[in-house]
Amino acid sequence: MPVLRDFGGGAFGIYVHVPFCATRCGYCDFNTYTAGELGSSASTQSWLDGLRGELATAAEVFDGLPSATPQVSTVFVGGGTPSLLGGDGLASVLDAVRAHFTLADDAEVTTESNPESTSPEFFARIRAAGYTRVSLGMQSAAEHVLRVLDRTHTPGRAVAAAREARAAGFEHVNLDLIYGTPGERDADLDASLDAVLDAGVDHVSAYSLIVEDGTALARKVRKGELPAPDDDVLAARYERIDARLSAAGLTWYEVSNWAGSDAAACRHNLGYWDGGDWLGAGPGAHSHVGGVRWWNVKHPARYADRVARGGLPSAGWEALTEQERYTERVMLAVRLRTGLPLTDLDASGLRAAERVIADGLATRARNRLILTDRGRLLADGVVRDLLL
């Protein structure tokens, strides 16, 4: 565990990583494991025991900082497939957080879920336990697109799950889409958007397909079995998504995220993008406090063993330099609808901002640099220009 600096003074969140999946999706390079991959080396119980131990030790470390540990404003349980834990398992996760940290009265508590491992009873249980937000992996409403992605749920299940979550009392429900999958047609994307809007959710995330090294999808692309995503197609699909969602009253607040209101925006993710502090618990989870970042060992068996032996299961850490913190601030804030304060830029960045504005990729509003519609398509390039 590194020697921590003080808390940064902003929002404080807790991320819990659940590393279990029923099957491995072909495009996924997250730190996840199927039962067959783990064998007898780890279990959900050994993981939960490790989580409780890590949270207890982390709370002790934070209590030793010069400033008091702030209240937890957001909790996000991600994975992996947290819904594989079931309603009681996810309730136990939140109990473990509450046992060692104080949640704010208005804390946002989110869990990701695979539609196939949810039910009305599941949503009722986690809502009663204190979860306030659900994020469901839909990806597409087209069966052939789901097959390419190696997704196991049926096309209509994600929409049904979203309705079940809303019926259980969840005001904030998110559906995730992936666009640009080989074989996806405009009509397939339109059908997915129709389904999302029909579900009545107040938040949508849409990500272009990225072919990550080491995945089954990457191997198929390398062998020529599938074409690589086309950049022009991806740009056209993004514009199509934005037009449909905007017309339905969902406004972008981050390049890949749309919400029906300010309250519907994901506060936990905004904490990342705004440079807040967070504890990441679980195998492979990353943490950040006061400009110090550390990350846990990845394998669930090693994670549980390290915690059982005492101490935190960190695999490494780094204290960010001022230049690194500046770079991250620019990279993240540019992607937000609220934009990047021009006062955050150094002299070189300000000159670059003027060029970006002149090129029509951003505007200046309230002394902030805010991406235009075209600028959102080229957000990574804008960041590179600002940091040259």
Side-chain angles (χ1 to χ4, degrees):
M1 182 72 182
V3 176
L4 295 181
R5 302 174 186 174
D6 207 354
F7 283 98
F12 178 57
I14 292 180
Y15 171 79
V16 175
H17 187 69
V18 181
F20 308 111
C21 280
T23 61
R24 181 172 296 281
C25 297
Y27 62 91
C28 179
D29 72 337
F30 293 167
N31 185 44
T32 62
Y33 305 84
T34 65
E37 291 168 338
L38 286 174
S40 60
S41 66
S43 66
T44 55
Q45 186 58 55
S46 65
W47 167 83
L48 184 56
D49 290 343
L51 177 69
R52 289 171 174 144
E54 181 184 9
L55 291 171
T57 303
E60 292 177 0
V61 172
F62 288 168
D63 284 346
L65 294 179
S67 64
T69 305
Q71 288 188 331
V72 176
S73 56
T74 63
V75 178
F76 194 106
V77 184
T81 310
S83 48
L84 286 179
L85 300 176
D88 288 343
L90 282 171
S92 295
V93 169
L94 192 51
D95 286 343
V97 173
R98 287 192 177 113
H100 303 289
F101 293 88
T102 301
L103 269 63
D105 291 340
D106 64 344
E108 174 193 87
V109 184
T110 305
T111 183
E112 294 179 336
S113 297
N114 185 312
E116 288 295 331
S117 51
T118 63
S119 66
E121 295 75 21
F122 167 84
F123 290 120
R125 178 69 180 96
I126 63 173
R127 184 70 189 93
Y131 286 82
T132 66
R133 181 186 185 90
V134 173
S135 182
L136 295 159
M138 176 178 171
Q139 321 317 348
S140 176
E143 189 171 1
H144 70 96
V145 173
L146 294 175
R147 282 199 302 270
V148 172
L149 295 173
D150 293 324
R151 295 289 295 184
T152 58
H153 65 267
T154 55
R157 178 56 203 153
V159 170
R163 289 174 177 156
E164 291 166 2
R166 292 176 60 217
F170 281 95
E171 182 180 357
H172 303 307
V173 181
N174 174 64
L175 283 172
D176 275 352
L177 292 176
I178 290 178
Y179 61 94
T181 300
E184 180 189 59
R185 302 161 300 191
D186 286 346
D188 297 323
L189 179 60
D190 287 341
S192 297
L193 291 168
D194 288 342
V196 164
L197 296 175
D198 189 50
V201 297
D202 66 348
H203 192 288
V204 177
S205 302
Y207 305 102
S208 63
L209 180 66
I210 298 175
V211 180
E212 302 284 3
D213 290 341
T215 62
L217 179 63
R219 291 190 289 273
K220 291 178 180 178
V221 171
R222 188 172 60 250
K223 292 177 181 178
E225 298 173 10
L226 290 172
D230 181 275
D231 288 342
D232 290 336
V233 171
L234 293 175
R237 295 271 162 79
Y238 179 88
E239 291 176 326
R240 201 178 192 96
I241 291 167
D242 184 54
R244 288 290 307 279
L245 295 180
S246 297
L250 294 162
T251 303
W252 78 279
Y253 69 96
E254 191 274 341
V255 168
S256 298
N257 290 273
W258 291 258
S261 66
D262 289 344
C266 181
R267 286 165 49 199
H268 185 84
N269 287 340
L270 282 169
Y272 296 148
W273 298 321
D274 286 335
D277 294 318
W278 72 89
L279 168 68
H286 284 59
S287 302
H288 173 270
V289 173
V292 178
R293 180 183 292 118
W294 68 97
W295 50 93
N296 288 347
V297 295
K298 287 187 172 183
H299 197 278
R302 287 190 61 209
Y303 167 80
D305 181 66
R306 288 280 295 273
V307 176
R309 292 173 182 270
L312 289 171
S314 58
W317 67 278
E318 60 182 350
L320 300 177
T321 65
E322 288 304 316
Q323 182 58 46
E324 288 170 334
R325 297 180 78 173
Y326 173 80
T327 296
E328 290 199 358
R329 173 63 178 156
V330 171
M331 288 175 60
L332 297 172
V334 161
R335 295 180 62 87
L336 294 172
R337 187 181 182 90
T338 52
L340 171 68
L342 289 168
T343 52
D344 286 359
L345 291 171
D346 59 19
S348 175
L350 286 170
R351 290 191 295 271
E354 293 300 329
R355 294 193 297 271
V356 167
I357 293 170
D359 290 340
L361 301 178
T363 60
R364 184 190 291 104
R366 302 179 303 281
N367 207 33
R368 288 174 175 265
L369 186 74
I370 299 174
L371 294 177
T372 61
D373 291 347
R374 180 166 166 262
R376 278 190 279 159
L377 294 173
L378 302 169
D380 290 344
V382 172
V383 169
R384 285 194 297 271
D385 289 344
L386 295 173
L387 294 175
L388 283 178

